[in-house]
């Protein structure tokens, strides 16, 4: 029951993304309320007070999230929040900022000394998974999100129990934009370039295609808007010529970066349409230029594979072709054996024991070949369909090449049902033999949209999502597979939830994980969280 004199209310009119912190507003007896940000244009958060002061509320804004933290005065206790159509006892409490509505904090008389939970907004990470969140008015993703992990326990910051005996996860500086479905690659000097993706606008609620470019410096563990060119030229702020998501990004042999295709023009819950356009960034002089010669067909959710001779093979959804650095960069289009997007591509070197022989293996994907695999031969420009088939058609699966030439295939989303699987396979592409592997540990609900890397004698799986019976759950899951014993040896939690994100190897012992989707009560929104995975056990060191 709400008692007179024990209630203060906040009305969110509109929140502008990018506002980071608002000062606390102390409501005292007879004040009638105060404005948390009187100079903000337009008004950001308006606090309408009561007639008797029982405490203060601090408000922290981070993108599309507002964190409310109630601090009762001496002799009062925090009891609960009242939203437009729900109540919550969480303190701090996160709300989506896309809806006009009243949010009320209730203080009750008690023996409290005025100290609330010490995890106030100054320490809160508002990009993690949350519970009791009012997200009406925020854009839906194509897949709706659930609570963090299967336990349903909320986590409003970096997980305290991240990592294990083999794996370590360290939160680093945040990306300059909250995003998912972006792309990234590493320069020769170790800096990581992150481009594009989908963001979220608040008013009106909508997905938006980003042109944002950022650079992660491993020496400072922070992100930069501007990269100092290697040749010493003055740095300039860069943005993509074409905003894009679901694109590919490849660091070329000469150190330049190829950015190809993707979707543009996102609006509402639609991710936009595929594009032909291609851009090249040169870290030597810091210039980003859009090529006159575009791909022959628009592509999104395709793959791009760097060949040993410097060419880049792009594949999907129905054709494949090569990018060749030079004046005439694109070859003619070649047909795939089956149409496929959201598939996986693996570069096979010295194929069949023949030195210099290369193939690109395409696995699964949405299209006519969801349960098939085909080998692309860059020398003869032909494709060969393998006889081996997956048990079910899968998209958004993970795969990695093993030292013995086999391919380890992990998880994925069943195309026919939308459910994720925990299955793994070992494929011998030369013998055309596919054998079942050990299922993912503690992941009976399956996984998709995850990232997979190999470090030495181990394979590590990061993040992604689970979907069962149309219920989506974004994950902070990781698992480590030992290639010597051929078994899963560790699984646990990362520092943050990451779905539809990027993972980039920094060196032989660490990887950078950036952004991705996080859950908000039935919706998925982009985040700017980043962390570095590194090894802490000798068992993971290459060559051990």
């Amino acid at each position: 029951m709400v008692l007179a004199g024990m209630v203060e209310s906040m009305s969110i009119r509109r929140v502008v993304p990018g506002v980071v912190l608002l000062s606390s507003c102390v409501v005292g007896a007879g004040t009638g309320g105060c404005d948390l940000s009187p100079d903000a244009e337009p008004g950001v958060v308006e606090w309408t007070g009561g007639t008797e002061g029982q405490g203060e509320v601090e408000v922290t804004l981070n993108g599309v999230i507002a964190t409310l933290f109630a601090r009762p005065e001496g002799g009062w206790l925090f009891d609960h929040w009242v939203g437009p159509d729900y109540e919550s006892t969480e303190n701090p409490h996160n709300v989506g900022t896309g809806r006009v509505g009243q949010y009320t904090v209730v203080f009750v008389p008690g023996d409290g000394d005025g100290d609330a939970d010490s995890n106030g907004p100054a320490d809160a990470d508002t990009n993690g998974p949350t519970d009791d969140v009012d997200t009406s008015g925020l854009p839906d993703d194509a897949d709706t999100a659930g609570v963090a992990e299967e336990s349903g326990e909320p986590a409003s910051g970096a997980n305290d129990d991240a990592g294990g005996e083999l794996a370590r996860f360290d939160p680093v500086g945040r990306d300059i934009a909250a995003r998912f479905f972006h792309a990234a690659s590493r320069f020769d000097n170790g800096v990581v370039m992150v481009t594009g993706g989908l963001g979220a606008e608040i008013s009106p609620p909508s997905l938006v295609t980003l042109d944002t470019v950022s650079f992660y410096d491993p020496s400072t563990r922070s992100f930069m808007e501007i990269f100092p060119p290697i040749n010493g030229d003055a740095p300039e702020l860069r943005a993509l010529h074409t905003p894009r998501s679901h694109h590919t990004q490849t660091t070329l042999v000469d150190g330049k970066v190829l950015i190809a295709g993707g979707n543009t023009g996102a609006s509402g819950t639609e991710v936009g349409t595929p594009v032909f356009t291609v851009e090249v960034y040169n870290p030597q002089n810091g210039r980003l230029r859009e090529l006159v010669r575009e791909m022959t067909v628009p592509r999104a959710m395709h793959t791009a594979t760097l060949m040993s001779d410097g060419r880049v093979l792009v594949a999907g959804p129905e054709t494949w072709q090569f990018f060749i650095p030079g004046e005439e960069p694109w070859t003619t289009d070649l047909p795939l054996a089956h149409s496929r997007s959201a598939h996986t591509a693996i570069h096979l070197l010295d194929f069949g024991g023949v030195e210099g022989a290369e193939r690109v293996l395409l696995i699964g994907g949405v299209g006519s070949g969801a349960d098939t695999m085909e080998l692309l031969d860059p020398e003869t420009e032909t494709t060969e369909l393998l006889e081996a088939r997956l048990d079910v058609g899968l998209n958004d699966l993970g795969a990695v090449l093993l030292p013995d030439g086999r391919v380890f295939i992990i998880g994925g989303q069943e195309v026919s049902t939308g459910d994720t699987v925990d299955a793994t396979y070992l494929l011998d592409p030369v013998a055309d033999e596919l054998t079942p592997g050990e299922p993912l540990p503690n992941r009976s609900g399956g996984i998709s949209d995850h990232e997979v890397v190999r470090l030495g004698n181990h394979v590590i799986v990061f993040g992604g999502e689970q979907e069962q019976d149309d219920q989506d759950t974004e994950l902070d899951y990781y698992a480590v597979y030992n290639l010597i014993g051929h078994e899963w040896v560790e699984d646990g939690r990362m520092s943050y939830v990451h779905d539809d994100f990027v993972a980039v190897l920094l060196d032989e012992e660490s990887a950078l994980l950036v952004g991705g989707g996080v859950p908000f009560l039935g919706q998925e929104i982009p985040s700017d969280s980043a962390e570095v995975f590194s090894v802490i056990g000798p068992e993971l060191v290459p060559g051990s």
Side-chain angles (χ1 to χ4, degrees):
M1 182 174 66
V2 177
L3 303 177
M6 299 180 186
V7 176
E8 312 298 346
S9 297
M10 183 192 73
S11 173
I12 294 183
R13 298 201 306 265
R14 186 157 76 94
V15 175
V16 179
V19 178
V20 177
L21 179 64
L22 299 179
S23 61
S24 63
C25 176
V26 181
V27 178
T31 62
C34 56
D35 190 343
L36 285 172
S37 185
D39 298 325
E41 291 294 340
V44 179
V45 175
E46 178 184 353
W47 179 272
T48 56
T51 59
E52 182 178 349
Q54 295 86 32
E56 67 181 24
V57 174
E58 295 183 9
V59 181
T60 304
L61 298 182
N62 191 338
V64 296
I65 307 166
T67 298
L68 314 180
F69 185 60
R71 296 184 184 275
E73 291 181 353
W76 294 86
L77 294 173
F78 165 78
D79 191 73
H80 66 280
W81 300 94
V82 180
D85 51 11
Y86 70 95
E87 293 187 2
S88 172
T89 58
E90 297 291 326
N91 191 34
H93 175 54
N94 292 338
V95 298
T97 56
R99 178 186 180 187
V100 174
Q102 292 290 325
Y103 298 84
T104 300
V105 57
V106 179
F107 296 115
V108 297
D111 298 328
D113 58 5
D115 291 331
D117 185 342
S118 61
N119 293 321
D123 300 319
D125 171 14
T126 57
N127 285 274
T130 59
D131 197 6
D132 294 326
V133 179
D134 174 22
T135 55
S136 301
L138 291 179
D140 290 318
D141 182 49
D143 292 325
T144 58
V147 295
E149 262 293 7
E150 292 176 290
S151 66
E153 296 179 359
S156 62
N159 294 325
D160 293 334
D161 58 349
E165 295 182 0
L166 298 177
R168 174 174 175 172
F169 294 89
D170 293 312
V172 296
R174 294 187 175 279
D175 194 4
I176 67 172
R179 50 179 140 195
F180 48 15
F181 300 106
H182 45 298
S185 63
R186 178 180 174 272
F187 297 159
D188 294 337
N189 65 358
V191 170
V192 175
M193 181 182 186
V194 186
T195 63
L198 288 175
E201 287 185 342
I202 302 305
S203 182
S206 178
L207 295 172
V208 58
T209 313
L210 301 178
D211 62 3
T212 310
V213 177
S214 66
F215 304 90
Y216 175 79
D217 185 348
S219 66
T220 63
R221 291 199 160 193
S222 62
F223 288 84
M224 307 174 289
E225 289 186 86
I226 299 175
F227 174 73
I230 297 173
N231 66 5
D233 285 354
E236 296 182 23
L237 185 65
R238 297 297 181 192
L240 295 176
H241 293 275
T242 301
R244 61 186 81 220
S245 67
H246 304 86
H247 55 293
T248 57
Q249 182 173 321
T250 310
T251 299
L252 305 175
V253 173
D254 62 5
K256 296 177 183 178
V257 177
L258 174 70
I259 301 163
N263 290 314
T264 196
S267 178
T269 60
E270 300 297 322
V271 299
T273 56
V275 297
F276 300 82
T277 61
V278 179
E279 305 181 41
V280 172
Y281 179 78
N282 186 349
Q284 286 291 331
N285 56 28
R287 295 175 184 171
L288 179 64
R289 62 189 183 95
E290 191 163 45
L291 300 186
V292 175
R293 285 290 305 276
E294 302 173 337
M295 294 183 293
T296 54
V297 296
R299 305 181 194 272
M301 293 186 286
H302 55 292
T303 54
T305 306
L306 180 66
M307 311 305 295
S308 59
D309 62 4
R311 294 182 295 171
V312 177
L313 190 158
V314 295
E318 296 180 349
T319 62
W320 58 295
Q321 65 182 141
F322 291 99
F323 172 82
I324 305 175
E327 295 181 0
E328 298 293 330
W330 291 102
T331 62
T332 56
D333 233 12
L334 301 166
L336 292 172
H338 281 289
S339 62
R340 60 187 82 234
S341 60
H343 56 284
T344 295
I346 298 294
H347 185 204
L348 305 175
L349 286 168
D350 298 334
F351 184 76
V354 178
E355 185 176 358
E358 294 181 84
R359 299 290 190 276
V360 173
L361 171 70
L362 304 184
I363 307 171
V366 177
S368 63
D371 64 345
T372 69
M373 296 169 282
E374 60 183 292
L375 290 169
L376 307 182
D377 186 339
E379 183 66 28
T380 63
E381 298 187 346
T382 58
T383 180
E384 175 188 357
L385 193 63
L386 296 184
E387 293 185 6
R389 291 195 173 215
L390 304 170
D391 291 339
V392 294
L394 297 173
N395 66 284
D396 291 328
L397 63 161
V400 66
L401 180 65
L402 303 183
D404 62 7
R406 292 184 297 171
V407 176
F408 192 20
I409 303 170
I410 302 171
Q413 188 169 23
E414 191 171 344
V415 173
S416 61
T417 66
D419 290 347
T420 48
V421 302
D422 65 351
T424 70
Y425 302 90
L426 287 167
L427 170 71
D428 184 336
V430 178
D432 196 357
E433 294 179 353
L434 183 70
T435 56
E438 186 178 353
L440 283 156
N442 298 311
R443 189 101 299 281
S444 59
I447 196 171
S448 69
D449 296 311
H450 48 297
E451 292 286 336
V452 181
V453 302
R454 181 172 71 87
L455 294 174
N457 291 318
H458 287 75
V459 172
I460 303 94
V461 179
F462 302 111
E465 70 176 22
Q466 167 192 294
E467 183 166 337
Q468 294 292 321
D469 300 324
D470 296 324
Q471 295 298 312
D472 224 15
T473 305
E474 278 63 45
L475 303 174
D476 55 14
Y477 174 84
Y478 81 91
V480 180
Y481 185 85
N482 183 286
L483 295 176
I484 298 177
H486 297 288
E487 60 181 346
W488 296 101
V489 294
E490 181 170 293
D491 65 278
R493 305 175 70 188
M494 303 181 295
S495 294
Y496 301 109
V497 170
H498 298 281
D499 180 27
D500 302 311
F501 66 111
V502 294
V504 180
L505 289 177
L506 296 176
D507 50 41
E508 293 183 337
E509 298 180 7
S510 64
L512 174 69
L513 315 179
V514 183
V518 296
F520 255 174
L521 202 65
Q523 300 175 349
E524 180 183 357
I525 63 171
S527 84
D528 59 359
S529 61
E531 58 189 301
V532 169
F533 163 82
S534 57
V535 300
I536 57 176
E539 298 88 347
L540 210 59
V541 176
S544 61

